[in-house]
Amino acid sequence: MALDAFLEGLSIATSGQMLVWLTLGLLLGIILGALPGIGSPVGMAIVLPLTLPLDATAAIILLVAIYSGAMFGGSISAILINAPGTESAAATTLDGYPMSKNGLAKNALAIATTASALNGFLAAIALIVLSPLLIEVVLAFGSPEYFLLAILGISLITIVTQGSIVKGLVAGALGFMISTIGTAILSPRPRYTFGQFGLYEGIDFVAALIGMFAFAEMMKLAARKQISEDDVEIAGNVRDGILAVFKYPVTTLKSGLIGMGIGMVPGSGATTSTFVAYAEEARSSTKDGKFGEGDPRGVIAPEAANNPTVSGSLIPTLSFGIPGSGSTAVLLGGILMHGLQPGPVLFGEQLQITYALFISLFLGNILILVVGLTLIPYASRITELDTNVIIPMVVVLSFAGAFTLNQNWWDVGAVIALGLLGFYMVRNNYSIIAFVLGIVLGPIAEENFFRSLQISGGEYRIFIHPIEQPLSFLLSLAILLILFGPFLKGRFEQAVTSG
């Protein structure tokens, strides 16, 4: 069955139509990723409603191509003007921009292209090889396990949220609360609708994503006149940059593994993986490293980690419907909008679509290598775009896209309201990812909690019985360790110190 699905997925992914969407998505992703303030979640959120007329597979391949292209595109502005196009490219600025100032901009861009693409298609191969194992894992999950997995995802907010944990939990709880607006999942009872029929269907997930990512980011970007105020000069040698990646194979492969591993953790995203990869490389190269002054390994490490993070984050998204990052949250919106169901369906009767997606990732990274290296001499032009053109265009597309979802103005209102909320949250260091996790995981947790109790006849032991429900027991244990582990560790260290 898996081989037949793989061959069918290969046929879909290599068809002329899919290759066109893949190429278009990559080019769009590279351009959007190179624009500070836009990035992959915003770009994907804008494009998402426009994919409604497309076939589901084409739409998902287009969105993943934008995501993958933006991972590389973000490094262009990070290296040239010290302003990362995406948050995941922030670590690249540490050594990429010093290389650019040292007259090695072409070297740095070639390193970013080669490292990102090389590890991107290695990670895509790993996904294809691991998929039979993933199928077995996904099919072992029932309602109790899905409920506990959702709680586990919410618990992870306490780990992955940067800054205040309390603010992360508040953001997650707010997202959870908004997900309860509308008719209750297992009963016809309306909640928090205030008698407005437009709210009976709840807040559209896609409209929420457009507001939180696209509209809020445009409000932030309004403070700038142009992406870059300075003239950008590109000097250096592309060939030397490509060779630099192969000069450090351990750095490249190690960073790729870090990227893929961290990408699998819900809510962590590429920002975490790239900084961890950079920190690990700086730690292991303390003797001869000149990190922060233009060390090529300081560009290889984060760039080799960013595209494998895309592959890693697809695992919880496609397997359990839990996004690994803001971009995969938008991707999940696309999957649901096109009538696909993450989990047993995507790894069962629709397995050919999953394989087509993995194969497209592989092909996409080859295209990134070709297109990225070709674009290097012209890369600086992207940073000269005027925000007075970009902002109105994105806002109009956001409103039009939101209205297209259900042909009602409530979705446009949701974009504005959640855009204002997102702007406030960003300015006050509340985690947008935690908020989105709350919106995504809320309905999953609620539905599977009540369904589990229906199955067990109201017995709560269905979540913790080590013999009858071993997987649930392990998940419950993991939740307890995440929530109380830091407290227990602190008490243990205090006891050891005091004697």
Side-chain angles (χ1 to χ4, degrees):
M1 177 187 172
L3 180 60
D4 292 341
F6 175 78
L7 293 175
E8 192 177 346
L10 181 65
S11 173
I12 293 170
T14 53
S15 67
Q17 184 196 1
M18 295 304 164
L19 289 176
V20 168
W21 290 119
L22 177 66
T23 309
L24 181 66
L26 279 170
L27 289 173
L28 198 56
I30 291 172
I31 294 170
L32 292 171
L35 299 174
I38 305 287
S40 56
V42 177
M44 291 169 71
I46 297 166
V47 172
L48 182 54
L50 306 179
T51 65
L52 273 172
L54 296 183
D55 166 67
T57 311
I60 303 308
I61 285 177
L62 175 68
L63 290 171
V64 171
I66 292 173
Y67 184 14
S68 192
M71 282 294 109
F72 159 67
S75 66
I76 295 175
S77 50
I79 290 168
L80 296 182
I81 60 174
N82 203 28
T86 58
E87 289 184 357
S88 61
T92 306
T93 61
L94 300 175
D95 279 278
Y97 185 60
M99 281 187 76
S100 186
K101 286 199 298 183
N102 295 337
L104 298 171
K106 284 185 180 178
N107 301 53
L109 288 169
I111 287 173
T113 310
T114 311
S116 183
L118 179 65
N119 269 4
F121 63 69
L122 287 177
I125 292 173
L127 264 185
I128 294 169
V129 172
L130 289 173
S131 55
L133 178 63
L134 284 176
I135 294 167
E136 296 296 326
V137 173
V138 170
L139 294 179
F141 273 63
S143 288
E145 289 81 10
Y146 272 106
F147 164 70
L148 291 167
L149 196 66
I151 300 300
L152 183 68
I154 293 170
S155 306
L156 284 171
I157 291 172
T158 60
I159 293 178
V160 301
T161 300
Q162 295 173 1
S164 167
I165 292 176
V166 174
K167 286 187 175 181
L169 289 173
V170 167
L174 191 57
F176 197 109
M177 190 185 76
I178 285 181
S179 76
T180 62
I181 294 174
T183 307
I185 292 174
L186 297 178
S187 72
R189 187 163 50 87
R191 300 180 300 194
Y192 312 118
T193 58
F194 306 103
Q196 301 295 323
F197 286 110
L199 290 175
Y200 272 49
E201 294 295 324
I203 302 293
D204 192 288
F205 180 44
V206 177
L209 293 173
I210 294 173
M212 296 302 290
F213 289 116
F215 195 71
E217 287 295 333
M218 288 309 101
M219 292 175 71
K220 276 175 61 186
L221 196 60
R224 296 184 194 165
K225 289 183 179 178
Q226 190 172 297
I227 296 298
S228 172
E229 303 287 351
D230 303 321
D231 293 332
V232 179
E233 184 181 349
I234 298 184
N237 188 294
V238 173
R239 181 173 171 274
D240 290 346
I242 297 171
L243 292 176
V245 176
F246 295 97
K247 186 180 173 184
Y248 300 105
V250 175
T251 303
T252 306
L253 294 175
K254 181 176 63 178
S255 302
L257 288 173
I258 290 172
M260 192 161 182
I262 292 180
M264 294 181 196
V265 180
S268 54
T271 309
T272 307
S273 70
T274 51
F275 271 104
V276 170
Y278 181 88
E280 164 54 24
E281 189 54 31
R283 182 200 65 79
S284 60
S285 311
T286 48
K287 290 182 180 176
D288 60 339
K290 294 183 178 177
F291 291 89
E293 300 174 21
D295 193 312
R297 287 168 294 184
V299 180
I300 294 173
E303 289 300 316
N306 64 17
N307 244 323
T309 308
V310 176
S311 299
S313 64
L314 287 179
I315 292 175
T317 306
L318 299 179
S319 305
F320 307 111
I322 296 175
S325 63
S327 299
T328 45
V330 182
L331 177 66
L332 179 63
I335 290 171
L336 298 174
M337 193 177 79
H338 284 277
L340 302 175
Q341 283 298 321
V345 177
L346 268 183
F347 283 87
E349 58 195 78
Q350 294 174 336
L351 185 58
Q352 73 281 3
I353 295 177
T354 307
Y355 272 127
L357 190 58
F358 293 165
I359 294 165
S360 296
L361 264 181
F362 177 81
L363 297 174
N365 280 289
I366 296 175
L367 278 175
I368 284 177
L369 190 64
V370 176
V371 174
L373 292 176
T374 308
L375 280 178
I376 285 176
Y378 314 101
S380 63
R381 295 182 186 175
I382 296 176
T383 62
E384 296 168 1
L385 290 176
D386 193 334
T387 53
N388 290 325
V389 175
I390 297 171
I391 294 172
M393 196 164 63
V394 171
V395 170
V396 169
L397 283 173
S398 298
F399 289 168
F403 185 77
T404 308
L405 294 172
N406 301 299
Q407 278 78 48
N408 72 51
W409 291 101
W410 280 99
D411 291 330
V412 178
V415 167
I416 296 172
L418 291 174
L420 291 169
L421 177 63
F423 181 65
Y424 173 83
M425 289 175 68
V426 170
R427 285 178 67 91
N428 292 280
N429 299 319
Y430 286 89
S431 170
I432 295 291
I433 298 300
F435 180 85
V436 172
L437 274 176
I439 290 183
V440 174
L441 298 179
I444 295 175
E446 183 183 358
E447 180 179 356
N448 286 291
F449 175 71
F450 287 113
R451 190 160 287 159
S452 301
L453 290 182
Q454 285 176 344
I455 293 169
S456 67
E459 290 287 342
Y460 287 93
R461 68 175 187 171
I462 194 172
F463 300 118
I464 54 173
H465 200 289
I467 307 298
E468 296 175 3
Q469 299 286 341
L471 195 51
S472 295
F473 174 73
L474 290 174
L475 287 168
S476 299
L477 203 59
I479 293 167
L480 291 174
L481 283 174
I482 288 170
L483 291 177
F484 299 106
F487 171 74
L488 294 174
K489 183 184 174 188
R491 293 297 296 265
F492 178 75
E493 288 175 348
Q494 191 178 17
V496 170
T497 307
S498 60

